[in-house]
Amino acid sequence: MVEWVRIGSEARAVPQPVATPFVWSAAFGGALLLMALFTLLGGIGRPTPALVALSLMAALLGLCARFVAAPGTAVLCWLFLNGFGIPPAGTLSWAGHRDTFWLGCLLAAALTGTAVARVVNARAAYRRVSPPQGRAHGRAHGHVYRPPMDGDAF
């Protein structure tokens, strides 16, 4: 037996991610503020706390972003980390292994935040759409499970 349920009345769609330019603007502003804060606290020359803070910010931005925004978010955070987190301040440099590791950490953080948000939103949407299962629910509504028989229609 099929029970028809109006999906439009109860189910809500999965939230739409924020547009990529807005995420990049937030990454630019957030990285600028974080690096200014670390500079005021005397953090120049100690990039590890700045990398951790920028990675957390990238993960938080990933919670409301699309996967496409992750590389740009990582690069923007890396630019501020490289430009203001290591001496001389205001100068970009490239040290192969270090900067590759930093970019990898920032990209992994942004992608992880986005993946976590997608999984959480999809699970919540699935729970809103799918009917409750189990014997207790069926008995409460007068339905008793009967295994299908050979002559039953699909």
Side-chain angles (χ1 to χ4, degrees):
M1 182 168 113
V2 175
E3 183 179 57
W4 292 97
V5 178
R6 283 187 58 108
I7 294 178
S9 63
E10 295 179 25
R12 293 178 303 202
V14 175
Q16 289 294 320
V18 177
T20 302
F22 290 122
V23 174
W24 288 345
S25 298
F28 182 87
L32 177 65
L33 288 174
L34 278 174
M35 291 314 299
L37 178 68
F38 276 105
T39 301
L40 289 174
L41 296 175
I44 294 180
R46 295 185 342 211
T48 304
L51 175 63
V52 170
L54 288 171
S55 295
L56 288 173
M57 185 195 72
L60 288 174
L61 286 173
L63 291 175
C64 62
R66 301 176 196 278
F67 280 107
V68 177
T73 302
V75 168
L76 282 168
C77 291
W78 172 81
L79 285 171
F80 280 97
L81 179 61
N82 192 340
F84 300 106
I86 55 174
T91 304
L92 290 177
S93 62
W94 180 263
H97 296 294
R98 180 196 69 197
D99 288 321
T100 304
F101 175 73
W102 287 355
L103 276 170
C105 285
L106 293 165
L107 181 61
L111 287 174
T112 301
T114 306
V116 165
R118 295 300 144 250
V119 168
V120 168
N121 289 336
R123 286 180 55 102
Y126 176 75
R127 286 191 178 138
R128 285 190 301 261
V129 172
S130 64
Q133 306 235 346
R135 289 186 161 190
H137 179 264
R139 288 184 187 149
H141 294 294
H143 302 289
V144 178
Y145 175 74
R146 181 181 63 85
M149 304 192 79
D150 289 335
D152 287 347
F154 290 100

